[in-house]
Amino acid sequence: MSDSIALKAYGKLNLLLDIVGKRHDGYHTLKSVFQSVSVYDLVEVELIDNKEIVIECDDESVPTDNRNLVWKACDAFFESTGIDFNGVKITIEKNIPSMAGMAGGSADCAATLVALNVLFETNLSETQLCDIGEKLGADVPFCIVGGTVLCEGIGEILTPLPDLEDCYFTVAKPEVSISTPECYKKFDNMIITEKPKTDDMIASLVVGDIKGVADCLYNSLEYPADCDEIRCLKEKMLENDALGSMMTGSGSAVFGIFDNKRDAKKCAKELEDDYSFCKVVKPVSAGVEILDYNL
Ligand code: ATP
């Protein structure tokens, strides 16, 4: 039997995303509460005899060449460990919507790094994997760690927070796609008066107060995104009893937060005919989960 490993790569929501500055190299610095959620891509990593990287994905819109973050993960892993390049085949079953602000590509990248660490028995620590991941994408370190995490810097300074429990999200994605670089560029030319309640959000997470969390949802990027479809979807979430609603990352997915599954499902039922992606998800405490392996 070949050496292979299958993993779940979980998507994320940003409960709070505050842009706090800009570095000399142009990267924006954040203070953001990330939450892993139960929608996941299935990633299978297999060692093959041909010395090549082969990527297969059931979503034709996802590139399967060196633009794919899992390809970059392989390159970075072999380079930083000094292991001779080996043939690797990666099969991705996509369930996390693309261009949604749910870190789909970053999650697959994180899963690939975790998989290679197991397959090659390199015993890299989580921190070492994050150091490799950080160079591949700002969300990758979070996707390796997962759970409920305060992310600072450009995403590389991670402080774990208590797991969010007894909470459900209805997530839907409008067809509109928002360009992340354009969103940040517009943000740079805006003055935003509404301030985030970051300390209150963290205090609510510590005591498990879902209503408190809902009151502190915030996303700096919603202002430059300035999009009717997003405003309309947030309103629909609130009309359907969400305790709060917000765009995640640079969008365009929007989530509503609920303290019970019944209301979250009722909301999803109301929205599902109008949105190609509409799903009830719950918080999970990992970014990557190993399912199965044959060594
Ligand atoms: P984020 O929340 O990190 O901003 P996103 O939701 O905006 O992520 P992704 O799903 O990560 O978006 O995909 C963004 C782009 O990245 C896609 O247009 C796609 O071409 C490219 N990409 C590279 N690797 C992958 C991958 N494994 N899965 C999906 N998209 C990928």
Side-chain angles (χ1 to χ4, degrees), residues 12 14 34 41 43 55 57 59 61-72 92 94 96-109 112 138-140 143 173 178 180 248-253:
K12 60 89 173 160
N14 295 95
F34 279 62
D41 289 347
V43 178
I55 299 172
C57 182
D59 180 340
S61 69
V62 173
T64 51
D65 53 18
N66 61 4
R67 288 169 296 167
N68 197 304
L69 281 171
V70 306
W71 185 299
K72 295 185 203 295
I92 307 168
K94 272 295 274 181
I96 305 170
S98 289
M99 307 300 287
M102 297 183 72
S106 304
D108 299 346
C109 178
T112 302
D139 292 345
V140 179
C143 290
K173 186 191 174 300
I178 292 163
T180 308
T248 175
S250 59
S252 61

Short mmCIF file of all heavy atoms in Angstrom, two decimals, residues 12 14 34 41 43 55 57 59 61-72 92 94 96-109 112 138-140 143 173 178 180 248-253, ligand 1:
data_model
loop_
_atom_site.label_atom_id
_atom_site.label_comp_id
_atom_site.label_asym_id
_atom_site.label_seq_id
_atom_site.Cartn_x
_atom_site.Cartn_y
_atom_site.Cartn_z
N LYS A 12 -12.66 29.03 7.97
CA LYS A 12 -12.69 29.95 9.13
C LYS A 12 -13.69 31.07 8.91
O LYS A 12 -14.07 31.40 7.77
CB LYS A 12 -11.32 30.54 9.42
CG LYS A 12 -10.69 31.38 8.28
CD LYS A 12 -11.02 32.85 8.27
CE LYS A 12 -10.22 33.64 7.22
NZ LYS A 12 -10.80 34.92 6.84
N ASN A 14 -14.13 35.20 10.52
CA ASN A 14 -13.55 36.24 11.39
C ASN A 14 -14.66 36.83 12.23
O ASN A 14 -15.56 37.50 11.71
CB ASN A 14 -12.91 37.36 10.56
CG ASN A 14 -11.72 36.87 9.77
OD1 ASN A 14 -11.85 36.51 8.61
ND2 ASN A 14 -10.57 36.81 10.41
N PHE A 34 -10.15 34.87 14.95
CA PHE A 34 -10.44 33.84 13.94
C PHE A 34 -11.14 32.67 14.62
O PHE A 34 -10.78 32.30 15.74
CB PHE A 34 -9.15 33.30 13.32
CG PHE A 34 -8.53 34.15 12.24
CD1 PHE A 34 -8.09 35.44 12.48
CD2 PHE A 34 -8.35 33.63 10.96
CE1 PHE A 34 -7.49 36.20 11.48
CE2 PHE A 34 -7.75 34.38 9.95
CZ PHE A 34 -7.33 35.66 10.21
N ASP A 41 -12.52 21.14 3.55
CA ASP A 41 -12.08 20.46 2.33
C ASP A 41 -11.46 19.14 2.78
O ASP A 41 -10.84 19.07 3.85
CB ASP A 41 -10.99 21.29 1.61
CG ASP A 41 -11.55 22.56 0.98
OD1 ASP A 41 -12.78 22.68 0.87
OD2 ASP A 41 -10.73 23.41 0.59
N VAL A 43 -8.55 16.68 2.06
CA VAL A 43 -7.25 16.72 1.38
C VAL A 43 -6.56 15.37 1.57
O VAL A 43 -6.40 14.91 2.70
CB VAL A 43 -6.37 17.86 1.96
CG1 VAL A 43 -4.99 17.90 1.30
CG2 VAL A 43 -7.06 19.21 1.80
N ILE A 55 -1.77 17.61 -8.71
CA ILE A 55 -2.90 18.09 -7.91
C ILE A 55 -4.18 17.76 -8.65
O ILE A 55 -4.31 18.05 -9.85
CB ILE A 55 -2.81 19.62 -7.67
CG1 ILE A 55 -1.53 19.96 -6.91
CG2 ILE A 55 -4.03 20.12 -6.90
CD1 ILE A 55 -1.25 21.45 -6.78
N CYS A 57 -8.42 18.27 -8.28
CA CYS A 57 -9.44 18.96 -7.49
C CYS A 57 -10.77 18.85 -8.21
O CYS A 57 -10.84 18.98 -9.44
CB CYS A 57 -9.04 20.43 -7.32
SG CYS A 57 -10.20 21.36 -6.30
N ASP A 59 -13.16 20.88 -8.09
CA ASP A 59 -13.68 22.20 -8.48
C ASP A 59 -12.80 22.75 -9.59
O ASP A 59 -11.62 23.07 -9.37
CB ASP A 59 -13.66 23.13 -7.26
CG ASP A 59 -14.17 24.52 -7.56
OD1 ASP A 59 -14.20 24.91 -8.75
OD2 ASP A 59 -14.53 25.23 -6.61
N SER A 61 -12.63 25.48 -11.03
CA SER A 61 -12.16 26.87 -10.96
C SER A 61 -10.87 27.00 -10.13
O SER A 61 -10.24 28.05 -10.11
CB SER A 61 -13.26 27.76 -10.37
OG SER A 61 -13.43 27.45 -9.01
N VAL A 62 -10.50 25.93 -9.45
CA VAL A 62 -9.29 25.97 -8.61
C VAL A 62 -8.08 25.54 -9.46
O VAL A 62 -8.12 24.48 -10.09
CB VAL A 62 -9.45 25.04 -7.38
CG1 VAL A 62 -8.15 24.93 -6.60
CG2 VAL A 62 -10.57 25.53 -6.49
N PRO A 63 -7.02 26.36 -9.51
CA PRO A 63 -5.86 25.97 -10.33
C PRO A 63 -5.18 24.72 -9.77
O PRO A 63 -5.12 24.54 -8.55
CB PRO A 63 -4.93 27.19 -10.23
CG PRO A 63 -5.35 27.90 -8.98
CD PRO A 63 -6.81 27.63 -8.79
N THR A 64 -4.67 23.87 -10.67
CA THR A 64 -3.99 22.65 -10.19
C THR A 64 -2.50 22.69 -10.54
O THR A 64 -1.84 21.67 -10.55
CB THR A 64 -4.66 21.39 -10.78
OG1 THR A 64 -4.74 21.55 -12.20
CG2 THR A 64 -6.04 21.15 -10.22
N ASP A 65 -1.99 23.89 -10.81
CA ASP A 65 -0.57 24.04 -11.11
C ASP A 65 0.13 24.77 -9.95
O ASP A 65 -0.40 24.80 -8.82
CB ASP A 65 -0.38 24.78 -12.44
CG ASP A 65 -1.14 26.11 -12.45
OD1 ASP A 65 -1.50 26.60 -11.35
OD2 ASP A 65 -1.39 26.66 -13.53
N ASN A 66 1.27 25.42 -10.24
CA ASN A 66 2.03 26.02 -9.13
C ASN A 66 1.37 27.26 -8.52
O ASN A 66 1.90 27.85 -7.59
CB ASN A 66 3.48 26.32 -9.55
CG ASN A 66 3.54 27.31 -10.70
OD1 ASN A 66 2.50 27.83 -11.13
ND2 ASN A 66 4.73 27.57 -11.20
N ARG A 67 0.18 27.64 -9.02
CA ARG A 67 -0.57 28.73 -8.37
C ARG A 67 -1.33 28.21 -7.14
O ARG A 67 -1.74 28.97 -6.28
CB ARG A 67 -1.58 29.36 -9.34
CG ARG A 67 -0.91 30.20 -10.43
CD ARG A 67 -1.91 30.56 -11.49
NE ARG A 67 -2.40 29.36 -12.18
CZ ARG A 67 -3.46 29.33 -12.99
NH1 ARG A 67 -4.16 30.41 -13.21
NH2 ARG A 67 -3.82 28.20 -13.57
N ASN A 68 -1.55 26.90 -7.09
CA ASN A 68 -2.28 26.34 -5.95
C ASN A 68 -1.40 26.38 -4.69
O ASN A 68 -0.22 26.02 -4.74
CB ASN A 68 -2.72 24.91 -6.25
CG ASN A 68 -3.81 24.46 -5.30
OD1 ASN A 68 -3.64 24.51 -4.09
ND2 ASN A 68 -4.94 24.04 -5.85
N LEU A 69 -2.00 26.79 -3.60
CA LEU A 69 -1.22 26.92 -2.35
C LEU A 69 -0.69 25.57 -1.86
O LEU A 69 0.30 25.53 -1.13
CB LEU A 69 -2.08 27.58 -1.27
CG LEU A 69 -2.20 29.11 -1.36
CD1 LEU A 69 -3.25 29.62 -0.38
CD2 LEU A 69 -0.86 29.76 -1.06
N VAL A 70 -1.32 24.47 -2.24
CA VAL A 70 -0.78 23.16 -1.80
C VAL A 70 0.53 22.85 -2.54
O VAL A 70 1.42 22.20 -2.00
CB VAL A 70 -1.80 22.00 -1.91
CG1 VAL A 70 -3.09 22.32 -1.19
CG2 VAL A 70 -2.05 21.58 -3.34
N TRP A 71 0.63 23.33 -3.77
CA TRP A 71 1.89 23.19 -4.53
C TRP A 71 2.99 23.97 -3.80
O TRP A 71 4.09 23.47 -3.56
CB TRP A 71 1.69 23.74 -5.95
CG TRP A 71 2.85 23.55 -6.88
CD1 TRP A 71 4.11 24.06 -6.73
CD2 TRP A 71 2.86 22.80 -8.10
NE1 TRP A 71 4.90 23.68 -7.78
CE2 TRP A 71 4.18 22.91 -8.64
CE3 TRP A 71 1.91 22.05 -8.80
CZ2 TRP A 71 4.53 22.30 -9.84
CZ3 TRP A 71 2.28 21.46 -9.99
CH2 TRP A 71 3.57 21.57 -10.50
N LYS A 72 2.64 25.22 -3.45
CA LYS A 72 3.62 26.07 -2.75
C LYS A 72 4.01 25.44 -1.40
O LYS A 72 5.15 25.54 -0.96
CB LYS A 72 3.04 27.47 -2.52
CG LYS A 72 2.78 28.23 -3.83
CD LYS A 72 2.33 29.64 -3.51
CE LYS A 72 1.53 30.33 -4.61
NZ LYS A 72 2.17 30.60 -5.85
N ILE A 92 -7.88 17.14 -3.75
CA ILE A 92 -8.66 18.06 -2.91
C ILE A 92 -10.13 17.95 -3.27
O ILE A 92 -10.51 18.11 -4.43
CB ILE A 92 -8.22 19.54 -3.12
CG1 ILE A 92 -6.70 19.70 -2.95
CG2 ILE A 92 -8.97 20.46 -2.17
CD1 ILE A 92 -6.17 21.05 -3.44
N LYS A 94 -13.26 19.97 -2.69
CA LYS A 94 -13.56 21.33 -2.21
C LYS A 94 -14.97 21.43 -1.64
O LYS A 94 -15.94 21.09 -2.31
CB LYS A 94 -13.49 22.32 -3.38
CG LYS A 94 -12.17 22.92 -3.71
CD LYS A 94 -11.53 23.77 -2.82
CE LYS A 94 -11.26 24.99 -2.25
NZ LYS A 94 -10.29 25.07 -1.23
N ILE A 96 -15.23 24.20 0.97
CA ILE A 96 -15.14 25.60 1.41
C ILE A 96 -15.26 26.46 0.15
O ILE A 96 -14.50 26.26 -0.80
CB ILE A 96 -13.79 25.88 2.11
CG1 ILE A 96 -13.55 24.89 3.26
CG2 ILE A 96 -13.72 27.32 2.59
CD1 ILE A 96 -12.12 24.95 3.84
N PRO A 97 -16.21 27.39 0.12
CA PRO A 97 -16.34 28.20 -1.10
C PRO A 97 -15.11 29.08 -1.33
O PRO A 97 -14.50 29.55 -0.36
CB PRO A 97 -17.59 29.05 -0.83
CG PRO A 97 -17.77 29.05 0.64
CD PRO A 97 -17.18 27.78 1.16
N SER A 98 -14.73 29.27 -2.60
CA SER A 98 -13.60 30.14 -2.94
C SER A 98 -14.05 31.59 -2.95
O SER A 98 -15.24 31.88 -3.12
CB SER A 98 -13.05 29.78 -4.33
OG SER A 98 -12.39 28.55 -4.27
N MET A 99 -13.10 32.50 -2.79
CA MET A 99 -13.38 33.94 -2.81
C MET A 99 -14.48 34.30 -1.82
O MET A 99 -15.38 35.09 -2.12
CB MET A 99 -13.79 34.40 -4.21
CG MET A 99 -12.83 34.00 -5.31
SD MET A 99 -11.17 34.66 -5.07
CE MET A 99 -11.44 36.36 -5.46
N ALA A 100 -14.40 33.69 -0.66
CA ALA A 100 -15.46 33.85 0.34
C ALA A 100 -14.95 34.53 1.61
O ALA A 100 -15.74 34.96 2.44
CB ALA A 100 -16.06 32.49 0.69
N GLY A 101 -13.63 34.58 1.79
CA GLY A 101 -13.09 35.07 3.07
C GLY A 101 -13.08 33.98 4.11
O GLY A 101 -13.04 34.25 5.32
N MET A 102 -13.11 32.70 3.65
CA MET A 102 -13.13 31.57 4.59
C MET A 102 -11.84 30.77 4.55
O MET A 102 -11.77 29.66 5.08
CB MET A 102 -14.34 30.68 4.29
CG MET A 102 -15.66 31.42 4.50
SD MET A 102 -17.10 30.38 4.23
CE MET A 102 -17.03 29.31 5.66
N ALA A 103 -10.81 31.33 3.91
CA ALA A 103 -9.46 30.75 3.91
C ALA A 103 -9.37 29.35 3.31
O ALA A 103 -8.57 28.53 3.77
CB ALA A 103 -8.88 30.75 5.34
N GLY A 104 -10.16 29.10 2.28
CA GLY A 104 -10.15 27.77 1.64
C GLY A 104 -8.77 27.34 1.19
O GLY A 104 -8.31 26.23 1.53
N GLY A 105 -8.09 28.18 0.44
CA GLY A 105 -6.76 27.84 -0.07
C GLY A 105 -5.75 27.68 1.06
O GLY A 105 -4.94 26.75 1.06
N SER A 106 -5.83 28.57 2.04
CA SER A 106 -4.90 28.52 3.18
C SER A 106 -5.11 27.25 4.00
O SER A 106 -4.14 26.67 4.51
CB SER A 106 -5.10 29.73 4.09
OG SER A 106 -4.96 30.92 3.36
N ALA A 107 -6.36 26.81 4.13
CA ALA A 107 -6.66 25.58 4.89
C ALA A 107 -6.04 24.37 4.19
O ALA A 107 -5.43 23.51 4.83
CB ALA A 107 -8.17 25.41 5.03
N ASP A 108 -6.16 24.32 2.86
CA ASP A 108 -5.57 23.20 2.11
C ASP A 108 -4.04 23.21 2.25
O ASP A 108 -3.40 22.16 2.36
CB ASP A 108 -5.94 23.29 0.62
CG ASP A 108 -7.45 23.24 0.39
OD1 ASP A 108 -8.18 22.86 1.32
OD2 ASP A 108 -7.88 23.59 -0.73
N CYS A 109 -3.50 24.42 2.23
CA CYS A 109 -2.05 24.59 2.37
C CYS A 109 -1.59 24.09 3.75
O CYS A 109 -0.61 23.33 3.86
CB CYS A 109 -1.75 26.08 2.20
SG CYS A 109 -0.04 26.54 2.37
N THR A 112 -1.67 20.33 3.94
CA THR A 112 -0.57 19.71 3.20
C THR A 112 0.72 19.73 4.02
O THR A 112 1.45 18.73 4.08
CB THR A 112 -0.38 20.44 1.84
OG1 THR A 112 -1.61 20.37 1.14
CG2 THR A 112 0.73 19.82 1.02
N ALA A 138 -0.95 34.79 4.82
CA ALA A 138 -1.16 35.33 6.17
C ALA A 138 -2.11 34.46 7.01
O ALA A 138 -1.99 34.42 8.24
CB ALA A 138 -1.73 36.75 6.07
N ASP A 139 -3.03 33.73 6.37
CA ASP A 139 -3.99 32.91 7.13
C ASP A 139 -3.46 31.50 7.43
O ASP A 139 -4.11 30.75 8.16
CB ASP A 139 -5.31 32.76 6.35
CG ASP A 139 -6.07 34.07 6.24
OD1 ASP A 139 -5.75 35.01 6.98
OD2 ASP A 139 -7.00 34.13 5.41
N VAL A 140 -2.32 31.14 6.83
CA VAL A 140 -1.87 29.74 6.95
C VAL A 140 -1.51 29.36 8.40
O VAL A 140 -1.94 28.31 8.88
CB VAL A 140 -0.72 29.43 5.95
CG1 VAL A 140 -0.25 27.99 6.12
CG2 VAL A 140 -1.19 29.67 4.52
N CYS A 143 -4.58 28.54 10.18
CA CYS A 143 -5.20 27.28 9.71
C CYS A 143 -4.46 26.05 10.26
O CYS A 143 -5.06 24.99 10.42
CB CYS A 143 -5.26 27.24 8.19
SG CYS A 143 -6.44 28.41 7.49
N LYS A 173 -23.01 32.79 0.82
CA LYS A 173 -22.11 33.60 -0.01
C LYS A 173 -22.87 34.16 -1.22
O LYS A 173 -23.37 33.40 -2.04
CB LYS A 173 -20.93 32.75 -0.49
CG LYS A 173 -19.91 33.59 -1.24
CD LYS A 173 -18.87 32.77 -1.96
CE LYS A 173 -17.97 33.65 -2.82
NZ LYS A 173 -18.67 34.41 -3.86
N ILE A 178 -15.24 39.91 -4.07
CA ILE A 178 -14.56 41.17 -3.70
C ILE A 178 -13.06 40.95 -3.81
O ILE A 178 -12.54 39.95 -3.30
CB ILE A 178 -14.98 41.56 -2.27
CG1 ILE A 178 -16.47 41.95 -2.29
CG2 ILE A 178 -14.13 42.71 -1.73
CD1 ILE A 178 -17.12 41.96 -0.96
N THR A 180 -9.51 41.25 -2.67
CA THR A 180 -8.87 41.56 -1.38
C THR A 180 -7.91 42.75 -1.49
O THR A 180 -8.01 43.68 -0.69
CB THR A 180 -8.15 40.30 -0.82
OG1 THR A 180 -9.09 39.23 -0.82
CG2 THR A 180 -7.62 40.51 0.57
N THR A 248 -17.20 37.93 6.58
CA THR A 248 -15.95 37.33 7.07
C THR A 248 -14.78 37.71 6.15
O THR A 248 -14.95 37.73 4.93
CB THR A 248 -16.06 35.79 7.21
OG1 THR A 248 -14.76 35.28 7.57
CG2 THR A 248 -16.52 35.11 5.94
N GLY A 249 -13.63 38.01 6.74
CA GLY A 249 -12.44 38.37 5.97
C GLY A 249 -12.75 39.47 4.97
O GLY A 249 -13.42 40.45 5.30
N SER A 250 -12.28 39.29 3.73
CA SER A 250 -12.59 40.29 2.71
C SER A 250 -13.81 39.86 1.89
O SER A 250 -14.03 40.33 0.79
CB SER A 250 -11.38 40.50 1.81
OG SER A 250 -11.02 39.28 1.21
N GLY A 251 -14.63 38.97 2.48
CA GLY A 251 -15.88 38.57 1.86
C GLY A 251 -15.65 37.63 0.68
O GLY A 251 -14.54 37.19 0.43
N SER A 252 -16.72 37.31 0.02
CA SER A 252 -18.02 37.93 0.21
C SER A 252 -18.99 37.12 1.09
O SER A 252 -20.16 37.49 1.19
CB SER A 252 -18.67 38.17 -1.16
OG SER A 252 -18.86 36.92 -1.81
N ALA A 253 -18.53 36.05 1.75
CA ALA A 253 -19.45 35.29 2.61
C ALA A 253 -19.82 36.12 3.84
O ALA A 253 -19.02 36.93 4.34
CB ALA A 253 -18.83 33.96 3.04
P1 ATP B 1 -9.08 34.13 2.35
O1 ATP B 1 -10.15 34.00 3.37
O2 ATP B 1 -7.77 33.53 2.83
O3 ATP B 1 -8.94 35.51 1.78
P2 ATP B 1 -10.58 33.37 0.04
O4 ATP B 1 -11.86 32.84 0.55
O5 ATP B 1 -10.59 34.78 -0.43
O6 ATP B 1 -9.47 33.16 1.14
P3 ATP B 1 -9.60 31.09 -1.40
O7 ATP B 1 -10.65 30.07 -1.39
O8 ATP B 1 -8.44 30.82 -0.51
O9 ATP B 1 -10.17 32.55 -1.16
O10 ATP B 1 -9.12 31.26 -2.91
C1 ATP B 1 -8.62 32.45 -3.42
C2 ATP B 1 -7.87 32.16 -4.71
O11 ATP B 1 -6.75 31.35 -4.41
C3 ATP B 1 -8.69 31.41 -5.71
O12 ATP B 1 -9.14 32.27 -6.71
C4 ATP B 1 -7.75 30.36 -6.28
O13 ATP B 1 -7.40 30.65 -7.61
C5 ATP B 1 -6.49 30.42 -5.44
N1 ATP B 1 -6.14 29.13 -4.80
C6 ATP B 1 -4.91 28.66 -4.63
N2 ATP B 1 -4.92 27.47 -4.00
C7 ATP B 1 -6.19 27.17 -3.76
C8 ATP B 1 -6.83 26.07 -3.13
N3 ATP B 1 -6.16 25.01 -2.65
N4 ATP B 1 -8.17 26.11 -3.02
C9 ATP B 1 -8.86 27.19 -3.49
N5 ATP B 1 -8.31 28.23 -4.11
C10 ATP B 1 -6.98 28.25 -4.24
#
